[in-house]
Amino acid sequence: MALELSYQDRGSVIHRLDPRVKLLWWLSINITLTTWNDPLFLFLLLASVFAYGRIARIPVWQGVKQLLPILPFVIFVLLANIAFWRPAHAETAHFIGYVIPRGTPVLPPVPLYWETVVFSVGTMLRLLVLVESTLVLIKTVSPAEMALAVARMGVPPEIGMALSMTIAYIPVVVAQLVSVMEAQQSRAWKVKTSNPVARFRAYTTIAIPTFFRSFQAAEAMAAAMLSRGFGYDIDHRTELEPRRFSGQDWVLTALFAAFLVGGFLLGFFGIVQYTLTMRLLGFH
Amino acid sequence: MPVEEQVCALAYEGFGFTYEQGNSEVVRDLSLQLSQGRVVLITGPSGAGKTTVCRAANGLIPHEFKGNMRGRVTVAGRYDSRRYSVSALSKLVGLLQQDPDTQLFNPTVEEEIAFGACNYGLPAETIRKRIERLLELTRLSEHRRKNPHQLSGGQQQACALAAILAFDPQTLILDEPTSNIDPLGSQEVLTLVARLAREEGRATLLIEHKLDEIVHLVDEMLVLDRGQVLHRGSVREVLEHVEYIDSVGLSVPQVTLLAARLRSAGWPLPRLPLDVSEAVALLEPLIDGPALVSLPAPASTCGFSSGPDRAGGASPGAESVIEVSGLSHVYRDGTPALHDLDLQIRRGEFVAILGQNGSGKTTLVKHFNGLLKPTSGTVRVAGLDTAKASINEMATTVGFIFQNPDTQICKLKVYDELAFGLRNLGLPEKQVRERVQQAAEDLEIVHLLDKNPFLLSMGEKQRIAVAAVLAMQPSVLVLDEPTTGQDYKRAKEIMDLAVRLHAAGQTVVVITHDMNLAAEYCQRVVVMAHGRVLLDAPTRQAFQAREALQASSLRAPQVTQLGQQLGSPWAWLTVDEALAALSAVRKGAGDGA
């Protein structure tokens, strides 16, 4: 499982791209994401991430399967949004009913609007796009390549190392997580419960040892990278297969940069807002 | 060239260090000089300060690990570690850390090896040649395109070592480079290191617990305990204090310890042997060979076939508690791990599962408590089919003690940690309280119940982890590599604990690389290779099977080998057994000489 979450050279056109282009792809997706909340567009964005992954020869089922462990968290976010998010103008919003009816002891009434549902689905999709695009990035850029790419962009080597370590670190954390889960399962710890709150609480049990062991691993990994000369002299580092920015890299850079600017502006000016889907659903 | 005339590759002068979060020095007043071509060994129990010495060599201390450093560490006679960065010092001092898993961060073995050499800007052609040579040297050529995390523990360690050697540092610091490797693999890595030191004039500082394999490879040896040097000198000089070193809990060569005891008993031994062949040469003239051949089997033994069991094991007619039938397992990535394996373990047995890295030991035992499900075949434990049993059923049937207690501990109070599994089972709080109290008493940790486990020592954490499992009252106890990363004293503590539990009727299964511990503690040995059981026999018989052991990269304990070479028909399993046998056949012993 840990290896499925690490870089695998599948020899695709995406793998052959300059790492900076892949980083730009990820940034264009995720910066755009911050300004969009329309479920339809977010769904198309998620589909584009899967398509990009497919070009990188990552099977769609693998991407879907790797989203499953975060589903409790995604559902939690969805429910939290439904409970707490209200449209700006409740008086003109499309009321469905009450999640918590009026007159319930202790609890305040929680009304539910179509706007809330559409917006909450958008938020959920945002989270999925963020996670899936990050997974695709991790699987298509090697950690060392990433550190060098960032350093060559003028970013201090320490930041490059931190970024590279984050990527290299994911399979290590996953491996730690698996062994922690096995240790707890041996003591009758159960996570397979249909109650999302119980499931969330069950996960907190494994968070402590995973965090503790991951912290130790991070320290050791940073020491190992420095002990092998990371950041010694970035400008004169040897490249066994020197990579030049090819025509393909330039074309995709232009494409991703255009998407970044365009997508951001569409969101910024309120065009890709949840109201768009509301109108498509016939709510005016 | 005399040592005095050589450039000092690495020098510690009055080095001492206190970690930022600590309140006492972990290393005190260490002075040490490493010259080119020499191999220096530092050994010592856990907490002796060995890793701190390593970290200071390339500047990780004081630059990355903060604290108060005293004295000075100088590289290549002129670079003060306080004034140069870690990456600059590492060009001259290559550091290989203990755990290979966290040192491998490149997508392929080839890139892993090239990483450091590229950082130091070596010419591409030179790097390519070095990669080829190192791949060949470490026998990783066929794995060059693999992800390093797909390699076995030994191969990972070899890969991490090659990654250091690729940039050709003058000095090599190796912090327990064989902690995850089987005996023959360890021997190969250590021999390679010593060879490189001699052939390429590299200064090498080696931290090791396993002295058996390195006594002939090192020029100087230091024994460190609680930050201070207890003994230093040539290996032979230091091992003259073998009984004392043994008493502080270090693993010493069995034949050296045996000879020291024989000498204390009046045997005329001019020097202590360092290995089996030296021991044979020294002892052969002093014993009555024919008498040894006709000596009866040792009376006090842990083997089934040869006498009463020390810990009161299973009777031959006892029921099977673990029944493995036609078990095969293929991992999700398609890697086959077990092939049509059959095994039976009877109630009350104390069994060791041995085998080289990647032989399938851990995969097998993870089937015992349902962590893994068979691809084909069945595993039944105490009558339960592990593929169908619930988590609760398995947790109360098989207690699994993991290698690292930090994997298991998840609560901020020891009491809660011990109660965790019981509460998962849904037991009433009164019963939880009683069982926690009982387990804490058994493991002598009652005084820790209100403490935060994360703030305790590693030994205490290990006891807490064991207590938490025992509180579940499982019928079978599985210990996964209890000796890895532990000094001999702590490993023995864990095994002594297992013996106590076994004496109380528990079935114990231990996975280990440590042949001495397996011989000393276990009644039966199951040797695995390539996902199959290669040998399954009572311990004494198993350690006589030299060919089967060799086929799985294992080696019998030194005293067993000594007995075989002296002509004993029985395998000696411990130093005490060897001592008793030799004392009985000493020439002239009968006529009062």
Side-chain angles (χ1 to χ4, degrees):
Chain A
M1 182 183 176
L3 280 175
E4 283 176 13
L5 285 174
S6 58
Y7 172 80
Q8 294 151 23
D9 189 353
R10 294 172 187 267
S12 74
V13 62
I14 303 281
H15 287 85
R16 301 278 81 84
L17 288 175
D18 188 283
R20 285 167 287 189
V21 179
K22 290 180 257 189
L23 193 59
L24 178 63
W25 168 78
W26 185 84
L27 287 171
S28 70
I29 297 279
N30 288 284
I31 292 175
T32 300
L33 202 64
T34 60
T35 64
W36 289 11
N37 58 33
D38 179 69
L40 179 64
F41 275 74
L42 285 164
F43 178 77
L44 292 175
L45 198 58
L46 182 62
S48 82
V49 172
F50 275 105
Y52 179 89
R54 194 68 203 90
I55 297 169
R57 297 184 187 156
I58 300 166
V60 174
W61 64 262
Q62 197 185 81
V64 173
K65 200 177 76 179
Q66 284 168 353
L67 287 177
L68 293 179
I70 65 152
L71 271 189
F73 183 64
V74 171
I75 292 168
F76 176 77
V77 169
L78 180 74
L79 295 177
N81 267 279
I82 287 175
F84 298 111
W85 191 87
R86 307 273 177 279
H89 306 287
E91 61 284 1
T92 56
H94 301 85
F95 182 70
I96 302 172
Y98 281 98
V99 178
I100 298 177
R102 286 177 185 279
T104 307
V106 186
L107 297 171
V110 175
L112 182 66
Y113 301 92
W114 276 108
E115 283 82 352
T116 304
V117 173
V118 173
F119 180 85
S120 301
V121 170
T123 307
M124 184 184 76
L125 284 166
R126 269 176 165 181
L127 197 60
L128 293 175
V129 173
L130 170 70
V131 174
E132 184 57 26
S133 62
T134 306
L135 289 173
V136 171
L137 183 76
I138 288 164
K139 290 179 201 174
T140 53
V141 187
S142 90
E145 216 182 40
M146 173 64 82
L148 288 169
V150 171
R152 292 215 167 105
M153 286 159 77
V155 176
E158 291 76 13
I159 295 179
M161 186 174 83
L163 191 61
S164 159
M165 262 186 60
T166 308
I167 298 176
Y169 193 48
I170 288 169
V172 175
V173 173
V174 172
Q176 309 276 15
L177 185 67
V178 169
S179 56
V180 166
M181 285 169 78
E182 285 180 345
Q184 308 310 358
Q185 195 181 320
S186 302
R187 289 194 293 157
W189 170 80
K190 290 177 277 296
V191 75
K192 285 175 185 157
T193 160
S194 51
N195 180 345
V197 177
R199 200 172 173 124
F200 192 74
R201 280 185 59 193
Y203 274 113
T204 58
T205 299
I206 55 168
I208 294 173
T210 305
F211 176 78
F212 188 72
R213 291 206 63 197
S214 302
F215 183 77
Q216 292 172 328
E219 199 174 51
M221 194 182 282
M225 287 182 98
L226 286 170
S227 300
R228 283 204 267 148
F230 186 81
Y232 177 71
D233 185 358
I234 288 285
D235 294 332
H236 296 99
R237 190 183 192 274
T238 309
E239 276 196 52
L240 291 179
E241 289 165 32
R243 181 171 273 151
R244 296 195 186 286
F245 222 70
S246 66
Q248 204 169 33
D249 290 321
W250 284 114
V251 170
L252 286 170
T253 299
L255 190 70
F256 296 148
F259 177 74
L260 172 60
V261 174
F264 183 80
L265 290 177
L266 280 174
F268 188 75
F269 290 111
I271 297 165
V272 189
Q273 298 299 309
Y274 72 95
T275 45
L276 193 72
T277 298
M278 286 295 290
R279 279 199 293 276
L280 288 173
L281 289 172
F283 296 106
H284 297 285
Chain B
M1 182 162 55
V3 171
E4 294 77 12
E5 290 172 27
Q6 293 178 3
V7 175
C8 184
L10 179 66
Y12 295 82
E13 294 164 75
F15 171 71
F17 191 72
T18 309
Y19 284 96
E20 209 166 48
Q21 66 274 31
N23 46 20
S24 61
E25 279 193 321
V26 282
V27 175
R28 272 171 278 171
D29 293 320
L30 176 76
S31 291
L32 172 69
Q33 294 205 332
L34 234 78
S35 307
Q36 287 169 0
R38 282 176 68 83
V39 181
V40 174
L41 165 73
I42 297 185
T43 191
S46 301
K50 305 182 297 293
T51 297
T52 302
V53 173
C54 293
R55 286 172 176 168
N58 71 341
L60 284 171
I61 284 176
H63 300 298
E64 298 300 316
F65 294 91
K66 304 291 182 194
N68 181 23
M69 175 172 152
R70 280 196 306 110
R72 200 151 67 133
V73 177
T74 312
V75 173
R78 53 196 164 133
Y79 303 110
D80 186 328
S81 70
R82 281 195 176 90
R83 293 172 51 204
Y84 291 87
S85 69
V86 175
S87 52
L89 291 170
S90 294
K91 191 175 181 184
L92 300 169
V93 182
L95 168 65
L96 179 70
Q97 300 178 85
Q98 216 177 96
D99 181 7
D101 221 29
T102 53
Q103 296 177 76
L104 305 170
F105 37 79
N106 281 280
T108 65
V109 167
E110 211 170 51
E111 286 174 76
E112 196 66 66
I113 296 174
F115 182 77
C118 290
N119 284 336
Y120 288 122
L122 268 63
E125 201 44 44
T126 307
I127 297 176
R128 282 197 194 97
K129 280 184 186 158
R130 284 196 190 163
I131 290 174
E132 292 308 320
R133 179 169 169 264
L134 288 165
L135 282 170
E136 202 177 311
L137 206 63
T138 51
R139 287 187 276 150
L140 290 173
S141 298
E142 60 178 298
H143 306 295
R144 62 195 305 157
R145 301 300 304 163
K146 267 193 185 169
N147 186 310
H149 292 279
Q150 286 176 301
L151 303 176
S152 71
Q155 288 169 331
Q156 284 188 351
Q157 198 65 276
C159 178
L161 177 62
I164 303 287
L165 292 172
F167 55 89
D168 198 20
Q170 288 175 4
T171 304
L172 210 53
I173 312 289
L174 308 169
D175 188 0
E176 295 191 34
T178 64
S179 57
N180 292 305
I181 317 181
D182 52 61
L184 287 185
S186 300
Q187 181 71 57
E188 282 174 16
V189 169
L190 293 169
T191 307
L192 171 67
V193 166
R195 203 180 101 200
L196 291 171
R198 310 273 184 256
E199 288 175 5
E200 300 179 3
R202 216 183 293 275
T204 305
L205 180 64
L206 188 61
I207 309 292
E208 258 301 339
H209 286 308
K210 301 172 189 169
L211 300 190
D212 288 13
E213 287 143 13
I214 43 179
V215 286
H216 289 300
L217 306 177
V218 301
D219 301 299
E220 189 183 355
M221 175 176 171
L222 280 83
V223 180
L224 210 61
D225 189 20
R226 278 171 277 181
Q228 282 188 309
V229 177
L230 290 184
H231 296 288
R232 71 190 298 170
S234 69
V235 174
R236 206 172 282 284
E237 285 164 355
V238 173
L239 286 183
E240 279 296 322
H241 308 278
V242 65
E243 286 179 285
Y244 176 73
I245 297 170
D246 177 57
S247 73
V248 298
L250 285 172
S251 162
V252 291
Q254 284 185 325
V255 289
T256 315
L257 183 61
L258 171 67
R261 291 198 183 155
L262 289 171
R263 194 160 67 179
S264 301
W267 287 52
L269 297 173
R271 61 191 167 88
L272 296 181
L274 297 184
D275 62 22
V276 176
S277 54
E278 277 187 29
V280 172
L282 276 170
L283 297 174
E284 209 161 26
L286 303 176
I287 60 166
D288 181 348
L292 181 64
V293 173
S294 55
L295 207 62
S300 169
T301 171
C302 22
F304 264 143
S305 63
S306 40
D309 169 35
R310 163 177 44 75
S315 61
E319 55 161 332
S320 286
V321 68
I322 298 175
E323 287 175 88
V324 178
S325 172
L327 174 66
S328 295
H329 187 86
V330 180
Y331 281 102
R332 278 195 304 183
D333 65 359
T335 309
L338 298 174
H339 309 275
D340 196 21
L341 193 142
D342 295 313
L343 180 70
Q344 285 199 340
I345 294 175
R346 282 171 294 178
R347 198 174 288 282
E349 276 194 295
F350 198 132
V351 181
I353 298 187
L354 311 176
Q356 67 182 122
N357 296 106
S359 59
K361 307 183 294 289
T362 301
T363 306
L364 171 64
V365 297
K366 279 185 178 174
H367 281 85
F368 293 173
N369 71 342
L371 287 176
L372 289 177
K373 308 288 181 203
T375 305
S376 64
T378 56
V379 178
R380 299 183 78 82
V381 180
L384 289 169
D385 184 340
T386 62
K388 293 174 189 157
S390 69
I391 288 177
N392 277 12
E393 284 173 324
M394 287 323 304
T396 49
T397 307
V398 180
F400 206 106
I401 295 170
F402 287 77
Q403 209 179 93
N404 185 346
D406 288 333
T407 303
Q408 187 185 310
I409 293 171
C410 62
K411 296 289 173 187
L412 300 175
K413 203 170 146 191
V414 173
Y415 180 92
D416 293 332
E417 184 61 36
L418 267 57
F420 175 73
L422 304 170
R423 288 176 177 151
N424 285 339
L425 293 175
L427 294 185
E429 203 54 34
K430 182 172 175 284
Q431 206 175 339
V432 169
R433 221 171 18 248
E434 284 166 6
R435 286 219 205 165
V436 167
Q437 188 64 28
Q438 187 59 52
E441 279 171 18
D442 288 347
L443 272 293
E444 297 165 17
I445 53 167
V446 176
H447 61 293
L448 302 177
L449 284 175
D450 288 327
K451 299 244 160 73
N452 181 341
F454 289 98
L455 303 178
L456 300 175
S457 74
M458 204 62 174
E460 287 167 327
K461 281 185 193 176
Q462 189 78 52
R463 296 223 299 276
I464 291 164
V466 175
V469 170
L470 288 183
M472 315 272 292
Q473 299 181 346
S475 352
V476 179
L477 199 61
V478 177
L479 291 100
D480 186 10
E481 305 271 13
T483 60
T484 299
Q486 313 269 7
D487 60 42
Y488 198 66
K489 185 181 176 188
R490 192 168 294 153
K492 273 182 75 83
E493 276 173 12
I494 300 168
M495 294 301 283
D496 284 337
L497 191 63
V499 167
R500 274 171 50 199
L501 299 168
H502 179 239
Q506 195 99 40
T507 308
V508 182
V509 179
V510 185
I511 300 180
T512 183
H513 277 149
D514 193 319
M515 299 301 110
N516 294 1
L517 282 181
E520 189 173 345
Y521 289 93
C522 301
Q523 301 167 319
R524 177 180 157 198
V525 163
V526 175
V527 178
M528 291 187 65
H530 311 297
R532 293 188 168 87
V533 172
L534 200 69
L535 175 70
D536 180 359
T539 309
R540 199 173 298 286
Q541 202 177 313
F543 282 123
Q544 292 279 53
R546 256 182 288 185
E547 280 172 20
L549 291 176
Q550 214 154 20
S552 47
S553 296
L554 303 175
R555 207 168 20 204
Q558 278 192 340
V559 286
T560 313
Q561 294 175 48
L562 175 67
Q564 283 167 344
Q565 291 186 34
L566 290 176
S568 167
W570 307 103
W572 299 337
L573 297 179
T574 63
V575 171
D576 288 339
E577 277 189 13
L579 191 64
L582 288 169
S583 300
V585 296
R586 183 180 169 188
K587 268 185 188 161
D591 44 74

